[in-house]
Amino acid sequence: MSSAAELKLSRVLGLAKKFNNFYLTGFQKGDIRPFLVEGQQCGLIKSDVLKQLVKYPEVFCIRDCEHTKQGLVELNPAFRDYNERTQQLEKVLRNLRSEGLFPALQGWRDEYFEVKSEHNALLKMERAATPLFGVRKYGVDINGYVIHPKHGLCIWLQQRSNTKETWPGKWDNMVGGGLSVGYGIKETAIKEAAEEASIPSHLVKNLVSAGCVSFFFESRQGLFPNTEYVFDLELPVDFVPHNADGEVQAFELLPAKECVERVFTPEFKTTSAPVVIDFLIRHGHITADDELDFTQIVELLHVPLQSLYTYKTRLEQMQKLQQQKLPNDANNCNCPNLPPVRPLENGHKKAA
Amino acid sequence: MSSAAELKLSRVLGLAKKFNNFYLTGFQKGDIRPFLVEGQQCGLIKSDVLKQLVKYPEVFCIRDCEHTKQGLVELNPAFRDYNERTQQLEKVLRNLRSEGLFPALQGWRDEYFEVKSEHNALLKMERAATPLFGVRKYGVDINGYVIHPKHGLCIWLQQRSNTKETWPGKWDNMVGGGLSVGYGIKETAIKEAAEEASIPSHLVKNLVSAGCVSFFFESRQGLFPNTEYVFDLELPVDFVPHNADGEVQAFELLPAKECVERVFTPEFKTTSAPVVIDFLIRHGHITADDELDFTQIVELLHVPLQSLYTYKTRLEQMQKLQQQKLPNDANNCNCPNLPPVRPLENGHKKAA
């Protein structure tokens, strides 16, 4: 294998580690607490945020679990309902915003994100604040592609508008967006396809659901435990997307190889890279024979976020365990500690 | 949603939990030790196997890590090379086989599996014994499919020969097999396609690499921390596979919906189910809108096996940490304990 090839190979794993920087190393540091609303874990809070929240004891109960020394941040359980929880939290967020302590809050959008646990809506939160609370986010992404008679597989990318609050001017997947209240997943993809790239209905009907990617990224803005539902859309060679909502400044069609190179540049939105890598793997353009770290990369496109938000389940399991024990065994506490998942960076390669 | 649909939905998650029974619950029990060869973690050993290995102190050093109380099983580091390690281990395995204690060893094949760490071959081990040592296994699988003018997406399945050592008579993917020494991954897929299903070269050239699935299953035979490299192969409507090596007794072409039903039956090989589910997800036949547990299912098709075989990396990190500490801080041991990953079964659903 040439050194150029080696360089390229390690870059895919390097990128997968970059968009999982919190999953791979943030948890090691252990300064993270579950955020509970109505007994349900809705997020994860780091110590820099915690330091500010302690100033609002009427809103946040910051305590240790009675069974372990595990620290918790709980929204005051005395708040009666969805509206009171929303208002009380928002007062704090507006205060924090005015103090200018968190870059994330400088991107305040007056857009709400609904915080749910399973299927219950618990409160809504300013969208820009969700990274401070480590709230899981869900979005859709469309890989728009062309089978070009001369260049083979080509992929449409968009360049985000310079006025966007997040990742302005960066290159991104052809179409993407967050899930909105009241819209289905495919419905959101179709809506975004029309708004962002003017994909007409006779083309968007070819949209194919192709799975999802999950990763856990951290930036100066906070935590991004993200899941992106992924769709593929083959487009005619002569179709050119154009933007309809002012959120995109350009589209460009790139042969697969050039697309890979673009993804590695700092001009590409880090949290959109998993979608492109997943697409290239599913379509045979990144393969196990060429990529020594293939299995590790695939695992890093699907990190087990569901096991990081299970405080309630773990508490119930623990209580069940303790009920099964004899009273004189009560000190032998089996409470599981956070973090439940401690993945480690490692040089493990596939065995064959 | 109808109750029939609900029933069907929960079945996919149920199956994903079944082929990850060890990942989801085996680790909770904590009776598992890393298996080390030349300081590298090559496997995981449960207490039932450990109980037998203690009888061979000249072959296995069973000890606790000096830094933690974590138990280890180490192949005697005095063994000089690949051959001595192989021979010493084989003597034990033949003994255990003659004692009839482990069902896995009743399937002795006189076929070797090469145990590697990163790219170093450390020893070879009778293939039937690998589940006792929790050695990671790698295989290839081909999803053979047809776009039928009347029935839409149809999938070819094979029925395994009744004389196979493992899963005799069960339904399985069209083509599958373990990686062999000296063969590349796609090369193995092409070889198996010819042997198992007589796929001619002009058709097999359409093989598309489509990723991999990883899961951690346990059966009476032992542990199966498996990674399957997945290939898709579209076939002409009139092509019919036929077996060339005596390992398959029948092939059947099923419409996608019937294929799903087949996968849920006890007649389907449990450890091949992840490949079919992954295929149906990638091709839009299991979708996030229809399947409430979609993200959890996708994560369970790609469990982080790489983080379970990292004893050496963790030891090095720990030693580095300890070197950074002052001597009087030496009791404050930060050694990471096995299991590094403690996923939990939970009812977490996607938030939107």
Side-chain angles (χ1 to χ4, degrees):
Chain A
M1 188 163 47
S2 74
S3 62
E6 274 170 13
L7 182 69
K8 191 175 160 198
L9 297 181
S10 65
R11 284 159 74 198
V12 184
L13 182 58
L15 188 56
K17 288 182 173 179
K18 183 177 170 189
F19 56 68
N20 276 302
N21 58 353
F22 192 75
Y23 176 70
L24 290 167
T25 60
F27 272 112
Q28 304 306 314
K29 295 173 192 158
D31 72 336
I32 187 148
R33 291 169 174 240
F35 173 53
L36 304 184
V37 180
E38 295 287 291
Q40 311 273 349
Q41 185 180 351
C42 297
L44 287 165
I45 291 180
K46 283 192 63 179
S47 57
D48 57 338
V49 176
L50 183 69
K51 250 183 246 173
Q52 300 306 317
L53 302 188
V54 294
K55 298 174 186 167
Y56 304 90
E58 72 287 6
V59 179
F60 299 102
C61 308
I62 293 161
R63 61 180 177 89
D64 290 345
C65 175
E66 56 267 40
H67 301 283
T68 65
K69 293 191 170 180
Q70 184 187 358
L72 302 171
V73 180
E74 194 169 17
L75 194 70
N76 191 338
F79 298 155
R80 279 160 305 180
D81 55 18
Y82 183 95
N83 286 336
E84 188 174 0
R85 289 191 286 267
T86 298
Q87 286 155 14
Q88 293 284 350
L89 182 63
E90 184 155 337
K91 270 199 293 187
V92 175
L93 294 177
R94 290 195 179 273
N95 244 328
L96 292 174
R97 179 195 184 192
S98 66
E99 290 171 350
L101 290 168
F102 294 107
L105 297 180
Q106 302 318 304
W108 194 282
R109 308 189 201 179
D110 283 320
E111 257 181 58
Y112 286 112
F113 179 83
E114 193 157 68
V115 176
K116 292 180 176 182
S117 178
E118 301 193 15
H119 304 297
N120 306 316
L122 295 167
L123 56 85
K124 55 184 180 176
M125 180 189 284
E126 160 59 29
R127 207 170 255 278
T130 56
L132 303 181
F133 290 82
V135 173
R136 291 187 70 175
K137 297 290 285 291
Y138 297 83
V140 298
D141 280 87
I142 300 177
N143 297 294
Y145 70 99
V146 164
I147 304 297
H148 194 279
K150 190 171 152 200
H151 303 296
L153 178 73
C154 294
I155 297 166
W156 278 105
L157 297 179
Q158 67 155 266
Q159 187 177 21
R160 297 163 69 87
S161 158
N162 286 328
T163 60
K164 286 205 79 151
E165 286 298 346
T166 57
W167 307 92
K170 297 289 184 190
W171 286 93
D172 199 347
N173 303 307
M174 181 181 76
V175 169
L179 285 189
S180 307
V181 179
Y183 286 87
I185 293 162
K186 190 170 183 180
E187 204 179 2
T188 304
I190 292 170
K191 182 171 75 78
E192 293 287 342
E195 291 172 8
E196 290 200 344
S198 306
I199 313 279
S201 57
H202 74 278
L203 293 180
V204 90
K205 74 174 168 37
N206 299 322
L207 208 58
V208 177
S209 164
C212 61
V213 293
S214 48
F215 54 94
F216 205 152
F217 177 65
E218 180 182 19
S219 75
R220 283 182 66 239
Q221 309 289 319
L223 302 177
F224 297 86
N226 286 18
T227 297
E228 299 291 329
Y229 297 101
V230 168
F231 293 85
D232 291 352
L233 180 60
E234 185 174 350
L235 293 164
V237 175
D238 58 358
F239 174 78
V240 177
H242 60 272
N243 181 243
D245 64 2
E247 301 207 346
V248 179
Q249 61 177 294
F251 286 99
E252 190 175 351
L253 184 66
L254 292 175
K257 276 187 185 174
E258 286 178 43
C259 183
V260 177
E261 291 307 312
R262 182 71 55 88
V263 172
F264 288 129
T265 67
E267 300 316 309
F268 199 88
K269 178 175 175 262
T270 306
T271 52
S272 290
V275 176
V276 184
I277 295 176
D278 173 66
F279 178 82
L280 292 168
I281 287 174
R282 287 186 292 103
H283 289 258
H285 283 259
I286 296 175
T287 71
D289 282 308
D290 292 338
E291 174 56 79
L292 279 175
D293 300 308
F294 190 76
T295 60
Q296 203 178 345
I297 291 162
V298 173
E299 290 175 22
L300 288 173
L301 294 173
H302 306 282
V303 305
L305 293 181
Q306 85 273 358
S307 64
L308 307 180
Y309 288 78
T310 56
Y311 174 77
K312 192 186 168 202
T313 315
R314 283 178 291 127
L315 189 71
E316 286 166 358
Q317 289 189 344
M318 182 191 71
Q319 286 167 339
K320 208 169 142 191
L321 264 174
Q322 290 188 329
Q323 280 162 8
Q324 290 165 354
K325 284 183 183 179
L326 294 171
N328 64 0
D329 201 11
N331 290 328
N332 183 12
C333 181
N334 270 338
C335 310
N337 292 310
L338 250 194
V341 172
R342 286 185 171 273
L344 281 153
E345 298 221 33
N346 66 77
H348 185 82
K349 301 291 200 312
K350 62 179 183 285
Chain B
M1 189 162 46
S2 73
S3 63
E6 273 171 13
L7 182 69
K8 190 175 159 196
L9 297 181
S10 64
R11 285 158 74 197
V12 184
L13 182 59
L15 188 55
K17 288 181 173 179
K18 183 178 170 189
F19 56 68
N20 276 302
N21 59 352
F22 192 74
Y23 176 69
L24 290 167
T25 59
F27 271 112
Q28 304 306 315
K29 296 173 192 158
D31 71 335
I32 187 148
R33 292 170 172 239
F35 173 53
L36 304 183
V37 180
E38 295 287 291
Q40 311 273 348
Q41 186 180 350
C42 297
L44 288 165
I45 291 179
K46 283 191 65 180
S47 57
D48 57 338
V49 176
L50 183 70
K51 250 183 247 174
Q52 300 306 317
L53 302 188
V54 294
K55 298 174 186 167
Y56 305 89
E58 72 287 4
V59 179
F60 299 102
C61 308
I62 293 161
R63 61 180 177 89
D64 289 345
C65 175
E66 56 267 41
H67 301 283
T68 65
K69 293 190 170 181
Q70 184 187 358
L72 301 171
V73 180
E74 194 169 16
L75 194 70
N76 190 338
F79 298 155
R80 278 160 307 180
D81 56 17
Y82 183 95
N83 286 337
E84 189 174 0
R85 289 191 285 268
T86 298
Q87 286 155 14
Q88 293 284 350
L89 182 64
E90 184 155 337
K91 269 199 293 186
V92 175
L93 294 178
R94 290 195 179 274
N95 244 328
L96 292 174
R97 179 195 184 193
S98 66
E99 290 170 350
L101 290 168
F102 295 107
L105 298 180
Q106 302 318 305
W108 194 282
R109 309 189 201 180
D110 283 320
E111 258 181 57
Y112 285 112
F113 179 83
E114 193 156 69
V115 176
K116 293 180 176 182
S117 178
E118 301 193 15
H119 304 297
N120 306 316
L122 295 168
L123 56 85
K124 55 184 180 176
M125 181 189 283
E126 160 58 29
R127 207 169 255 277
T130 56
L132 303 182
F133 290 82
V135 173
R136 290 187 71 176
K137 296 291 284 292
Y138 297 84
V140 297
D141 280 88
I142 301 177
N143 297 295
Y145 70 99
V146 164
I147 304 297
H148 194 278
K150 190 172 153 201
H151 304 295
L153 178 73
C154 295
I155 297 166
W156 278 105
L157 297 180
Q158 66 155 267
Q159 187 177 20
R160 298 163 68 87
S161 159
N162 286 328
T163 60
K164 286 205 80 153
E165 286 297 346
T166 57
W167 307 91
K170 298 288 184 189
W171 286 94
D172 198 347
N173 302 307
M174 181 182 75
V175 169
L179 286 189
S180 307
V181 179
Y183 286 87
I185 293 162
K186 191 170 184 181
E187 204 179 1
T188 304
I190 292 169
K191 182 170 76 75
E192 294 287 342
E195 291 172 8
E196 290 200 344
S198 306
I199 313 279
S201 57
H202 74 278
L203 293 180
V204 89
K205 74 174 169 35
N206 299 323
L207 208 58
V208 177
S209 164
C212 60
V213 293
S214 47
F215 54 93
F216 205 151
F217 176 66
E218 180 182 19
S219 75
R220 282 182 68 238
Q221 309 289 318
L223 302 177
F224 297 85
N226 286 19
T227 298
E228 299 291 329
Y229 297 102
V230 167
F231 293 84
D232 290 352
L233 179 60
E234 185 175 350
L235 293 164
V237 175
D238 58 358
F239 175 78
V240 177
H242 60 271
N243 181 244
D245 64 2
E247 301 207 346
V248 179
Q249 60 177 295
F251 286 99
E252 190 175 351
L253 184 66
L254 292 175
K257 276 187 186 174
E258 287 178 42
C259 183
V260 176
E261 291 307 313
R262 182 71 54 90
V263 172
F264 288 130
T265 67
E267 300 316 309
F268 199 88
K269 178 175 174 262
T270 307
T271 52
S272 290
V275 176
V276 184
I277 296 176
D278 173 66
F279 178 82
L280 292 168
I281 287 174
R282 288 186 292 102
H283 290 258
H285 284 259
I286 296 175
T287 72
D289 283 308
D290 292 338
E291 175 55 80
L292 279 174
D293 300 308
F294 190 75
T295 60
Q296 203 178 344
I297 291 163
V298 173
E299 290 175 22
L300 288 174
L301 294 173
H302 306 282
V303 305
L305 293 181
Q306 85 274 358
S307 64
L308 307 180
Y309 288 79
T310 56
Y311 174 78
K312 191 185 168 202
T313 315
R314 283 178 290 128
L315 188 71
E316 286 166 359
Q317 288 189 345
M318 182 191 71
Q319 286 167 338
K320 208 168 142 191
L321 264 174
Q322 290 189 329
Q323 281 162 9
Q324 289 164 354
K325 284 184 184 179
L326 294 170
N328 63 1
D329 201 11
N331 290 328
N332 183 11
C333 181
N334 270 338
C335 310
N337 292 310
L338 251 194
V341 172
R342 287 186 171 272
L344 281 153
E345 298 221 31
N346 66 78
H348 186 82
K349 301 291 199 313
K350 61 180 184 285

